[in-house]
Amino acid sequence: MNSHYFKNIDNFFVAGINYKKSDASVRGLFAIGNDQYASILAAAAAEGIGELFVLSTCNRTEIYGIAHCPNQLVKLLCSQTAGDADTFRRSAYIKQGTEAVEHTYNVAAGLDSQILGDYEIVGQLKTAVRFAKEGGFVGAFTERLINSVLQASKNVKNNTELSGGTVSTAFAAVQYIRAQVPQCSQKKMLLVGTGKIGRNTCKNLVDYLGNKNITLINRTPEKAQELAGELGLQWAPVETLEEQLRAADIIIVATNAQQKTILRQHLEGAGEKLIIDLSIPYNVADDAQTLPNVRMVNVDELSKLKDETFRMRQAEVPKAKAIIAEGMEEFAEWCDMRRHVPLLKDLKAKLKALHEHPECPHHARLLDVQIQRVLNETAGRIKERNERGCQYIAALNEFISAQN
């Protein structure tokens, strides 16, 4: 297949699962870390796929790419996950062409987020694309699309209130604590995991609850120590996890561990506990979640919180969609013109041939500047009239024949 025509909008696919059709336990089967991502890219190269990236967050795992069919992308993704392709397909959505492009814009703008307008997805998208680009998997199509998507996302953020208020998964956890726990500022809290989500949650706990009675634990102790020093909190080594769990009133888990971190024996008979698990996959063992002294909340439950901020954001959706429509229109124009690149190259070659033709009268020969002008005019006519450019080549051939 001609590589130019292969790498166009019609062959752009998104295959993914998210919070809409799958719970966290299923999404956790398809979570992708850096090592798995690198393996996917290596396998893609062997399959002849040159443009793709993978977005994996607590709410979604999606593979975006240019392929002959979406099954190529699904196979690549599932080859490196705990879940298999059949399980993936049962909850998956497949989008192609313009629908896939629109989905990309919606994701970056926060329109497809579990918490409407959650802007954290932009940083995650940038990281995902940067990883792919470093591996050589971001070509002209993906580069142009992501630049347009990020610009539209920025315009949505700056010109609407879709991300107004302070709401994210991290802040939703704080909202829940404030609403459900009396005198929450006096409770002893434990945060397990100080990555990006844990860090944001911790700052929200301090800023919005005014609670400094928080102990931090992280597998890499230096990270916990650094954040504790920054916010004036306490930290503890991971070896004291059980002791800290039993002493805490409120436990927030935000790790990316593949194995369960919080076990039944850690909590049994240790008093009333509120546990908020922000991890994907869940890091609290199933039998620990059902203990009578444990009240368990996960990211799916947090997303159901509705307040005035969400109602305000919902009202901003039409404005956001209008901005996205403008971005998509410009991108579609670029894609349409890109389809004519072989035609314009052919036209240029014919003009060069005319310029160098030994029997062409001197006065009829085209200079380089004239050649470029003809190319620009032809491109402009194609854009304005949405007509195939072959008629201009035919006219040029007639002109060449007339000179002979």
Side-chain angles (χ1 to χ4, degrees), residues 340-355 366 370-382 388-397 399-400:
H340 297 292
V341 167
L343 180 149
L344 294 172
K345 285 183 177 178
D346 191 20
L347 175 57
K348 184 175 182 178
K350 289 183 182 295
L351 290 169
K352 287 282 190 181
L354 174 63
H355 175 63
L366 299 179
Q370 292 173 299
I371 290 175
Q372 190 58 50
R373 186 176 69 246
V374 172
L375 290 173
N376 292 342
E377 289 174 355
T378 303
R381 290 184 187 120
I382 293 173
R388 292 183 61 84
C390 57
Q391 59 184 298
Y392 303 109
I393 294 180
L396 182 58
N397 285 334
F399 178 75
I400 293 174

Side-chain angles (χ1 to χ4, degrees), residues 77-376:
L77 178 70
C78 295
S79 69
Q80 301 299 321
T81 62
D84 58 44
D86 288 339
T87 302
F88 182 85
R89 289 189 183 95
R90 282 196 289 271
S91 298
Y93 41 87
I94 305 291
K95 300 180 186 293
Q96 179 181 5
T98 300
E99 186 184 16
V101 168
E102 184 175 14
H103 178 78
T104 312
Y105 279 89
N106 287 342
V107 168
L111 288 175
D112 198 62
S113 295
Q114 193 167 28
I115 297 177
L116 180 64
D118 188 347
Y119 204 66
E120 289 181 8
I121 190 68
V122 174
Q124 295 163 329
L125 179 62
K126 288 180 179 178
T127 299
V129 174
R130 183 168 60 249
F131 195 98
K133 187 171 184 177
E134 289 170 355
F137 285 85
V138 173
F141 180 93
T142 304
E143 184 93 48
R144 182 78 178 210
L145 173 62
I146 294 303
N147 287 342
S148 180
V149 161
L150 293 177
Q151 183 60 53
S153 178
K154 182 178 179 180
N155 290 342
V156 168
K157 184 171 178 62
N158 292 340
N159 297 295
T160 76
E161 293 299 321
L162 187 71
S163 296
T166 311
V167 178
S168 64
T169 301
F171 188 68
V174 176
Q175 282 185 305
Y176 184 89
I177 293 170
R178 184 162 55 187
Q180 300 294 326
V181 181
Q183 299 180 314
C184 55
S185 62
Q186 307 300 317
K187 300 298 183 180
K188 182 173 177 58
M189 299 186 183
L190 175 66
L191 174 66
V192 184
T194 57
K196 184 173 182 179
I197 292 177
R199 188 179 184 88
N200 290 342
T201 303
C202 191
K203 289 181 176 179
N204 286 331
L205 291 171
V206 174
D207 291 343
Y208 295 99
L209 299 185
N211 192 327
K212 289 271 190 165
N213 190 12
I214 305 172
T215 300
L216 311 180
I217 287 182
N218 194 70
R219 183 173 53 186
T220 305
E222 291 79 10
K223 291 185 178 180
Q225 189 174 11
E226 178 186 357
L227 183 58
E230 180 182 331
L231 300 177
L233 307 176
Q234 303 80 43
W235 71 280
V238 70
E239 290 78 12
T240 66
L241 177 62
E242 181 170 357
E243 175 188 342
Q244 297 297 333
L245 287 168
R246 300 184 75 84
D249 302 305
I250 299 172
I251 301 163
I252 300 171
V253 190
T255 77
N256 60 1
Q258 295 301 306
Q259 304 298 322
K260 304 297 185 184
T261 301
I262 314 298
L263 307 178
R264 183 183 180 93
Q265 61 264 32
H266 294 156
L267 305 170
E268 202 165 18
E272 296 294 319
K273 309 288 181 187
L274 169 62
I275 302 180
I276 299 179
D277 193 348
L278 304 180
S279 308
I280 296 293
Y282 291 156
N283 268 203
V284 180
D286 293 344
D287 57 354
Q289 297 180 33
T290 59
L291 286 169
N293 61 313
V294 170
R295 183 175 11 156
M296 185 74 199
V297 181
N298 58 43
V299 289
D300 290 340
E301 293 172 77
L302 288 176
S303 70
K304 298 173 185 177
L305 293 174
K306 301 295 181 182
D307 62 9
E308 191 61 35
T309 296
F310 288 104
R311 288 189 287 274
M312 177 269 291
R313 289 183 175 196
Q314 190 67 46
E316 295 294 291
V317 169
K319 295 180 186 176
K321 285 189 173 293
I323 291 171
I324 285 173
E326 291 179 7
M328 287 185 63
E329 183 178 357
E330 292 178 1
F331 180 68
E333 287 180 3
W334 178 83
C335 288
D336 188 54
M337 288 305 302
R338 189 166 176 260
R339 287 191 301 111
H340 297 292
V341 167
L343 180 149
L344 294 172
K345 285 183 177 178
D346 191 20
L347 175 57
K348 184 175 182 178
K350 289 183 182 295
L351 290 169
K352 287 282 190 181
L354 174 63
H355 175 63
E356 297 167 359
H357 198 286
E359 297 182 11
C360 181
H362 182 77
H363 69 274
R365 294 188 179 184
L366 299 179
L367 303 176
D368 287 344
V369 64
Q370 292 173 299
I371 290 175
Q372 190 58 50
R373 186 176 69 246
V374 172
L375 290 173
N376 292 342

Side-chain angles (χ1 to χ4, degrees), residues 32-56:
I32 294 291
N34 286 347
D35 290 343
Q36 294 161 299
Y37 197 167
S39 297
I40 289 171
L41 296 181
E47 289 286 326
I49 294 177
E51 295 197 37
L52 78 135
F53 64 91
V54 179
L55 180 61
S56 182

Side-chain angles (χ1 to χ4, degrees), residues 1-12 48-52 65-68 136-142 331 334-335 338-339:
M1 181 180 288
N2 184 294
S3 61
H4 173 77
Y5 288 101
F6 174 51
K7 292 184 178 180
N8 62 35
I9 196 168
D10 293 331
N11 293 100
F12 177 62
I49 294 177
E51 295 197 37
L52 78 135
I66 295 177
H68 292 290
F137 285 85
V138 173
F141 180 93
T142 304
F331 180 68
W334 178 83
C335 288
R338 189 166 176 260
R339 287 191 301 111

